[in-house]
């Protein structure tokens, strides 16, 4: 049987002490050098053990100050559902337990930004084609809970009242309603979720630690002709949100009684 890596054993020991209340919430732990000496391991081993507990959300590192026991945070549910929107926003079984919904946001749009190659590929345009990009920070109860960076091709919206998503007559109404106002009907939303670790910039904006688990969602919205009209990168901190996807089920069309009887005789 393979031997457990030393840093994992140290992490388990520290975790047990934290859960037993040896250090209170908000209390600073001994330095990593002190802990390494106490456990008889190298500093690199202790570094990996502590980093693992930071990722798990038990500890948090504060630059220039040390490592502290982290305040537990309630993990709220976020439901992503086009199905519910089509039903006029009625509350579903999944939606009934959704709490802490983002009720406000800060945004900043910039027009005439050349599309990077990866964004251009997602929007089916040429690299360098001009776009409008918008950075969002979504808030719930005053706390940042989601980041998003969206891209829309200017060839589609330039010269219209909706060229900037958060200004004009349809500010804040969302992609579907905004595009409909210029004769573009949305048909499909494709989302590709991937787990990732928070970068320094993301951690600063979300109030989490570098390396914390986040869910990154690559979303692209298509019109009825299959043309991409918007693509976005969404970042949701795992420590604060669990993401639930809700799907509708197509119901079979009712069969006429006469047709049913005829089929029954065959």
């Amino acid at each position: 049987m393979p031997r457990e890596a030393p840093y994992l054993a140290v992490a388990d020991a520290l975790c047990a002490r934290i859960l037993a209340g040896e250090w209170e919430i908000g209390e600073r732990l001994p330095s990593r050098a002190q802990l390494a000496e106490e456990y008889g391991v190298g500093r690199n081993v202790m570094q990996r053990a502590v980093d693992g507990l930071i990722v798990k959300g038990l500890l948090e590192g504060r630059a220039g100050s040390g490592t502290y026991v982290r305040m537990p945070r309630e993990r709220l549910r976020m439901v992503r559902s086009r199905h519910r929107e089509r039903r006029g926003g009625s509350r579903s079984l999944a939606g009934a337990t959704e709490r802490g919904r983002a009720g406000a946001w800060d945004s900043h749009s910039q027009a005439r930004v050349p599309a990077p190659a990866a964004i251009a590929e997602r929007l089916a345009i040429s690299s360098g084609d001009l776009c409008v990009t918008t950075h969002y920070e979504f808030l719930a109860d005053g706390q940042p809970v989601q980041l998003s960076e969206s891209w829309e091709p200017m060839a589609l919206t330039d010269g219209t009242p909706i060229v900037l998503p958060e200004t004009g007559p349809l500010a804040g109404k969302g992609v579907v309603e905004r595009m409909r106002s210029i004769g573009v009907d949305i048909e499909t939303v494709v989302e590709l979720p991937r787990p990732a670790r928070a970068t320094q910039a993301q951690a600063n904006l979300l109030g989490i630690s570098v390396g914390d688990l986040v869910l990154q969602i690559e979303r692209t919205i298509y019109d009825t002709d299959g043309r991409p009209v918007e693509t976005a990168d969404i970042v949701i901190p795992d420590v604060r949100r669990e993401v639930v996807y809700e799907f509708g089920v197509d119901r079979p069309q009712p069969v006429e009684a006469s047709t049913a009887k005829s089929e029954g005789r065959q």
Side-chain angles (χ1 to χ4, degrees):
M1 183 175 179
R3 183 185 174 189
E4 184 179 43
Y7 80 92
L8 293 175
V10 173
D12 288 343
L14 285 175
C15 180
R17 293 170 69 180
I18 293 167
L19 296 178
E22 182 171 337
W23 297 291
E24 296 182 358
I25 291 172
E27 184 177 350
R28 185 173 65 180
L29 269 64
S31 70
R32 300 185 187 193
Q34 290 174 303
L35 289 172
E37 184 178 352
E38 179 181 344
Y39 281 94
V41 297
R43 293 193 182 187
N44 288 340
V45 170
M46 183 56 63
Q47 179 77 38
R48 291 191 67 184
V50 171
D51 286 349
L53 295 181
I54 288 175
V55 170
K56 287 183 178 180
L58 288 174
L59 299 175
E60 63 178 343
R62 301 178 189 173
S65 179
T67 305
Y68 294 77
V69 179
R70 189 173 197 168
M71 176 76 72
R73 291 171 176 163
E74 185 180 12
R75 200 161 173 258
L76 301 179
R77 173 166 292 190
M78 176 182 289
V79 179
R80 303 188 64 77
S81 172
R82 298 296 301 169
H83 169 61
R84 185 148 41 113
E85 291 179 16
R86 292 193 191 99
R87 291 183 291 147
S90 60
R91 294 174 69 83
S92 64
L93 180 62
T97 58
E98 182 179 11
R99 294 170 294 119
R101 188 179 182 88
W105 60 88
D106 292 327
S107 65
H108 172 71
S109 293
Q110 188 175 357
R112 308 189 68 80
V113 179
I119 295 297
E121 183 177 358
R122 285 155 58 174
L123 288 173
I125 60 178
S126 298
S127 179
D129 281 359
L130 298 182
C131 293
V132 173
T133 181
T134 304
H135 297 263
Y136 293 91
E137 180 181 340
F138 293 90
L139 308 171
D141 301 324
Q143 296 249 342
V145 294
Q146 179 180 319
L147 305 175
S148 178
E149 180 182 72
S150 76
W151 294 77
E152 295 178 359
M154 287 199 69
L156 182 63
T157 61
D158 197 15
T160 73
I162 68 161
V163 64
L164 299 178
E166 299 302 322
T167 62
L170 294 179
K173 294 297 184 181
V175 177
V176 175
E177 190 169 341
R178 287 176 51 248
M179 292 297 171
R180 187 184 297 127
S181 74
I182 60 172
V184 177
D185 291 324
I186 302 302
E187 183 173 67
T188 308
V189 179
V190 176
E191 293 193 345
L192 176 61
R194 296 187 182 96
R197 299 294 180 185
T199 64
Q200 182 70 67
Q202 292 167 349
N204 290 344
L205 289 171
L206 291 168
I208 59 178
S209 298
V210 175
D212 275 4
L213 185 64
V214 296
L215 181 66
Q216 290 190 340
I217 301 174
E218 179 187 302
R219 182 191 73 191
T220 304
I221 298 177
Y222 299 84
D223 67 9
T224 52
D225 294 325
R227 173 181 54 176
V229 301
E230 188 253 20
T231 193
D233 290 303
I234 299 165
V235 179
I236 301 170
D238 183 77
V239 71
R240 294 184 186 163
R241 285 289 187 268
E242 61 177 13
V243 178
V244 176
Y245 281 86
E246 180 183 72
F247 300 92
V249 176
D250 292 333
R251 297 181 179 181
Q253 295 295 323
V255 181
E256 300 247 350
S258 58
T259 303
K261 289 180 181 178
S262 173
E263 290 178 350
R265 289 196 298 267
Q266 292 179 0

